[in-house]
Coordinates of all heavy atoms in Angstrom, one line a residue:
Chain A
T37 N -11.3 -11.6 20.2 CA -12.4 -10.8 20.9 C -12.8 -11.6 22.1 O -13.0 -11.0 23.2 CB -13.6 -10.6 20.0 OG1 -14.0 -11.8 19.3 CG2 -13.3 -9.6 18.9
R39 N -11.0 -13.6 23.8 CA -9.9 -13.6 24.7 C -9.9 -12.2 25.5 O -9.7 -12.2 26.7 CB -8.6 -13.7 23.9 CG -7.4 -14.1 24.8 CD -6.2 -14.4 23.9 NE -5.1 -14.9 24.7 CZ -4.2 -14.0 25.3 NH1 -4.3 -12.7 25.1 NH2 -3.2 -14.5 26.0
I40 N -10.2 -11.2 24.8 CA -10.3 -9.9 25.5 C -11.5 -9.9 26.5 O -11.3 -9.5 27.6 CB -10.5 -8.7 24.5 CG1 -9.2 -8.6 23.6 CG2 -10.8 -7.4 25.2 CD1 -9.4 -7.6 22.5
A41 N -12.6 -10.5 26.0 CA -13.8 -10.6 26.9 C -13.5 -11.4 28.1 O -13.8 -11.0 29.3 CB -14.9 -11.2 26.1
H42 N -12.7 -12.5 27.9 CA -12.4 -13.4 29.0 C -11.5 -12.6 30.1 O -11.7 -12.7 31.3 CB -11.7 -14.6 28.5 CG -11.1 -15.5 29.5 ND1 -11.9 -16.2 30.4 CD2 -9.8 -15.8 29.8 CE1 -11.1 -16.9 31.2 NE2 -9.9 -16.7 30.9
L43 N -10.5 -11.9 29.5 CA -9.6 -11.1 30.4 C -10.4 -10.1 31.3 O -10.2 -10.0 32.5 CB -8.6 -10.3 29.6 CG -7.4 -11.1 29.0 CD1 -6.7 -10.3 28.0 CD2 -6.5 -11.6 30.1
I44 N -11.4 -9.5 30.7 CA -12.2 -8.4 31.4 C -13.2 -9.1 32.3 O -13.2 -8.8 33.5 CB -12.9 -7.5 30.4 CG1 -11.9 -6.8 29.5 CG2 -13.8 -6.5 31.1 CD1 -12.5 -6.0 28.4
A45 N -14.0 -10.0 31.8 CA -15.1 -10.5 32.6 C -14.7 -11.6 33.6 O -15.2 -11.6 34.7 CB -16.1 -11.1 31.6
D46 N -13.7 -12.4 33.2 CA -13.4 -13.5 34.2 C -12.2 -13.3 34.9 O -12.0 -13.8 36.1 CB -13.3 -14.9 33.4 CG -14.6 -15.1 32.5 OD1 -15.7 -14.7 33.0 OD2 -14.4 -15.6 31.4
K47 N -11.2 -12.6 34.3 CA -9.9 -12.4 35.0 C -9.8 -11.1 35.8 O -8.8 -10.8 36.4 CB -8.8 -12.5 34.0 CG -8.6 -13.9 33.4 CD -7.6 -14.7 34.2 CE -7.5 -16.1 33.7 NZ -6.4 -16.8 34.3
G48 N -10.9 -10.3 35.6 CA -10.9 -9.0 36.3 C -9.9 -8.0 35.9 O -9.5 -7.1 36.6
V49 N -9.4 -8.2 34.6 CA -8.4 -7.2 34.1 C -9.1 -6.0 33.7 O -10.2 -6.0 33.1 CB -7.7 -7.8 32.9 CG1 -6.8 -6.8 32.3 CG2 -6.9 -9.1 33.3
N50 N -8.6 -4.8 34.1 CA -9.1 -3.6 33.7 C -8.9 -3.4 32.1 O -7.8 -3.6 31.6 CB -8.3 -2.5 34.4 CG -8.9 -1.1 34.2 OD1 -9.6 -0.9 33.2 ND2 -8.6 -0.2 35.1
P51 N -10.0 -3.1 31.4 CA -9.9 -3.0 30.0 C -8.8 -1.9 29.6 O -8.2 -2.0 28.5 CB -11.3 -2.5 29.5 CG -12.1 -2.2 30.7 CD -11.4 -2.9 31.9
F52 N -8.6 -1.0 30.4 CA -7.6 0.0 30.2 C -6.2 -0.6 30.1 O -5.3 0.0 29.5 CB -7.7 0.9 31.5 CG -6.7 2.1 31.4 CD1 -7.0 3.2 30.7 CD2 -5.6 2.1 32.2 CE1 -6.2 4.3 30.7 CE2 -4.7 3.2 32.2 CZ -5.0 4.3 31.4
N53 N -6.0 -1.8 30.6 CA -4.7 -2.4 30.6 C -4.4 -3.4 29.4 O -3.5 -4.1 29.4 CB -4.5 -3.2 31.9 CG -4.3 -2.4 33.1 OD1 -4.9 -2.6 34.1 ND2 -3.5 -1.3 33.0
I54 N -5.4 -3.3 28.5 CA -5.3 -4.2 27.3 C -4.9 -3.4 26.0 O -5.6 -2.4 25.8 CB -6.6 -5.0 27.1 CG1 -6.9 -5.8 28.4 CG2 -6.5 -5.9 25.9 CD1 -8.2 -6.5 28.4
L55 N -4.0 -3.9 25.3 CA -3.6 -3.3 24.0 C -3.8 -4.4 22.9 O -3.2 -5.5 23.0 CB -2.1 -2.8 24.0 CG -1.5 -2.4 22.7 CD1 -2.2 -1.2 22.1 CD2 0.0 -2.2 22.8
A56 N -4.5 -4.0 21.9 CA -4.6 -4.9 20.7 C -4.2 -4.2 19.5 O -4.8 -3.1 19.2 CB -6.1 -5.4 20.6
I57 N -3.3 -4.7 18.8 CA -2.8 -4.1 17.6 C -3.3 -4.8 16.3 O -3.1 -6.0 16.2 CB -1.2 -4.0 17.5 CG1 -0.8 -3.3 18.8 CG2 -0.7 -3.4 16.3 CD1 0.4 -2.4 18.7
M67 N -13.2 -4.9 15.8 CA -12.8 -5.6 17.0 C -13.4 -5.0 18.2 O -14.0 -5.6 19.1 CB -11.3 -5.7 17.1 CG -10.9 -6.6 18.3 SD -9.2 -7.1 18.2 CE -9.0 -8.0 16.7
R68 N -13.3 -3.7 18.3 CA -13.9 -3.0 19.4 C -15.4 -3.2 19.5 O -15.9 -3.5 20.6 CB -13.6 -1.5 19.2 CG -13.8 -0.6 20.4 CD -13.7 0.8 20.0 NE -12.4 1.3 19.7 CZ -11.4 1.5 20.6 NH1 -11.7 1.3 21.9 NH2 -10.2 1.9 20.2
V71 N -16.0 -6.7 20.8 CA -15.7 -6.8 22.3 C -16.9 -6.2 23.1 O -17.3 -6.7 24.1 CB -14.4 -6.2 22.6 CG1 -14.2 -6.1 24.1 CG2 -13.2 -6.9 22.0
D72 N -17.3 -5.0 22.6 CA -18.5 -4.4 23.2 C -19.7 -5.3 23.3 O -20.3 -5.4 24.4 CB -18.9 -3.2 22.4 CG -18.3 -1.9 22.9 OD1 -17.5 -2.0 23.9 OD2 -18.7 -0.8 22.4
L74 N -19.7 -8.5 23.5 CA -19.5 -9.5 24.5 C -19.5 -9.0 25.9 O -19.9 -9.8 26.8 CB -18.2 -10.2 24.1 CG -18.1 -11.0 22.8 CD1 -16.7 -11.5 22.6 CD2 -19.0 -12.2 22.9
T75 N -19.0 -7.8 26.1 CA -18.7 -7.4 27.5 C -19.6 -6.2 27.9 O -19.5 -5.9 29.1 CB -17.2 -7.0 27.6 OG1 -17.0 -5.8 26.8 CG2 -16.3 -8.1 27.2
G76 N -20.3 -5.7 27.1 CA -21.0 -4.4 27.4 C -20.0 -3.3 27.0 O -19.2 -3.5 26.1
A77 N -20.1 -2.1 27.6 CA -19.4 -1.0 27.2 C -17.9 -1.0 27.5 O -17.2 -0.1 27.1 CB -20.1 0.3 27.8
D78 N -17.5 -2.0 28.1 CA -16.1 -2.0 28.5 C -15.1 -2.0 27.3 O -14.0 -1.6 27.4 CB -15.8 -3.3 29.3 CG -16.2 -3.2 30.7 OD1 -16.5 -2.0 31.1 OD2 -16.3 -4.2 31.4
G79 N -15.6 -2.5 26.2 CA -14.8 -2.5 25.0 C -14.2 -1.2 24.6 O -13.1 -1.1 24.0
M80 N -14.9 -0.1 24.9 CA -14.5 1.2 24.6 C -13.1 1.6 25.2 O -12.4 2.4 24.7 CB -15.5 2.3 25.0 CG -16.8 2.3 24.2 SD -16.5 2.1 22.4 CE -16.0 3.7 21.9
S81 N -12.9 1.0 26.4 CA -11.6 1.4 27.1 C -10.4 0.6 26.7 O -9.3 0.9 27.0 CB -11.8 1.3 28.6 OG -13.1 1.6 29.0
V82 N -10.7 -0.5 25.9 CA -9.6 -1.3 25.4 C -8.9 -0.5 24.3 O -9.5 0.1 23.5 CB -10.1 -2.6 24.8 CG1 -8.9 -3.5 24.3 CG2 -10.8 -3.4 25.9
W83 N -7.6 -0.5 24.3 CA -6.8 0.3 23.3 C -6.7 -0.6 22.1 O -5.9 -1.6 22.1 CB -5.5 0.7 23.9 CG -4.7 1.6 23.0 CD1 -4.5 1.5 21.7 CD2 -3.9 2.8 23.4 NE1 -3.7 2.5 21.2 CE2 -3.3 3.3 22.3 CE3 -3.7 3.4 24.6 CZ2 -2.5 4.4 22.3 CZ3 -2.9 4.5 24.7 CH2 -2.3 5.0 23.5
V84 N -7.5 -0.4 21.1 CA -7.4 -1.2 19.8 C -7.0 -0.2 18.7 O -7.7 0.7 18.5 CB -8.7 -1.9 19.4 CG1 -8.4 -2.9 18.4 CG2 -9.4 -2.5 20.6
A85 N -5.8 -0.5 18.1 CA -5.4 0.5 17.1 C -4.3 -0.2 16.2 O -3.8 -1.3 16.5 CB -4.8 1.7 17.8
R93 N -0.1 8.4 19.0 CA -0.7 8.8 20.3 C 0.4 8.9 21.4 O 0.3 9.8 22.2 CB -1.8 7.8 20.7 CG -3.1 8.1 20.1 CD -4.2 7.1 20.4 NE -4.7 7.2 21.7 CZ -5.7 6.4 22.1 NH1 -6.2 5.5 21.3 NH2 -6.2 6.5 23.4
Y209 N 4.2 2.9 30.1 CA 3.4 2.1 29.1 C 3.5 0.6 29.4 O 2.5 -0.1 29.1 CB 3.9 2.4 27.7 CG 3.3 3.8 27.3 CD1 4.1 4.9 27.2 CD2 2.0 3.9 26.9 CE1 3.6 6.1 26.8 CE2 1.5 5.1 26.5 CZ 2.3 6.2 26.4 OH 1.8 7.4 26.0
E211 N 3.4 -0.6 32.3 CA 2.4 -0.8 33.4 C 1.0 -0.7 32.8 O 0.1 -1.4 33.3 CB 2.6 0.3 34.5 CG 3.8 0.0 35.4 CD 3.5 -1.3 36.2 OE1 2.4 -1.7 36.5 OE2 4.6 -1.9 36.6
K212 N 0.9 0.2 31.8 CA -0.5 0.4 31.3 C -0.9 -0.9 30.5 O -2.0 -1.4 30.6 CB -0.5 1.6 30.4 CG -1.8 1.8 29.6 CD -1.9 3.2 29.1 CE -3.1 3.3 28.1 NZ -4.4 2.9 28.7
F213 N 0.0 -1.3 29.6 CA -0.4 -2.4 28.7 C 0.1 -3.7 29.3 O 1.2 -4.3 28.8 CB 0.2 -2.2 27.3 CG -0.3 -0.9 26.6 CD1 0.6 0.0 26.1 CD2 -1.6 -0.7 26.6 CE1 0.2 1.1 25.5 CE2 -2.1 0.5 25.9 CZ -1.2 1.4 25.4
R214 N -0.6 -4.3 30.2 CA -0.2 -5.5 30.8 C -0.5 -6.7 29.9 O 0.1 -7.8 30.1 CB -0.9 -5.7 32.1 CG -0.5 -4.6 33.1 CD -0.9 -4.8 34.5 NE -0.6 -3.7 35.3 CZ -0.6 -3.7 36.6 NH1 -1.0 -4.8 37.2 NH2 -0.3 -2.6 37.3
Y215 N -1.5 -6.6 29.1 CA -1.9 -7.7 28.1 C -1.8 -7.1 26.7 O -2.5 -6.2 26.4 CB -3.2 -8.2 28.5 CG -3.2 -9.0 29.8 CD1 -3.5 -8.3 31.0 CD2 -3.0 -10.3 29.8 CE1 -3.5 -8.9 32.2 CE2 -2.9 -11.0 31.1 CZ -3.2 -10.3 32.2 OH -3.2 -10.9 33.4
I216 N -1.0 -7.7 25.9 CA -0.8 -7.2 24.6 C -1.1 -8.3 23.5 O -0.7 -9.4 23.7 CB 0.7 -6.7 24.4 CG1 1.0 -5.6 25.4 CG2 0.9 -6.3 22.9 CD1 2.5 -5.3 25.4
M217 N -1.8 -7.9 22.5 CA -2.2 -8.8 21.4 C -1.8 -8.2 20.1 O -2.1 -7.0 19.9 CB -3.7 -9.1 21.5 CG -4.0 -10.3 22.4 SD -5.7 -10.2 22.9 CE -5.6 -9.4 24.5

Side-chain angles (χ1 to χ4, degrees):
Chain A
T37 50
R39 199 169 182 275
I40 294 171
H42 174 64
L43 283 169
I44 298 171
D46 307 325
K47 291 270 170 168
V49 174
N50 188 337
F52 182 79
N53 291 132
I54 301 172
L55 168 68
I57 302 219
M67 186 167 298
R68 196 189 287 283
V71 172
D72 261 7
L74 292 172
T75 63
D78 281 344
M80 286 322 279
S81 327
V82 179
W83 186 317
V84 193
R93 275 173 80 176
Y209 280 106
E211 282 298 330
K212 175 166 169 55
F213 299 130
R214 297 190 183 194
Y215 292 88
I216 299 171
M217 274 158 263

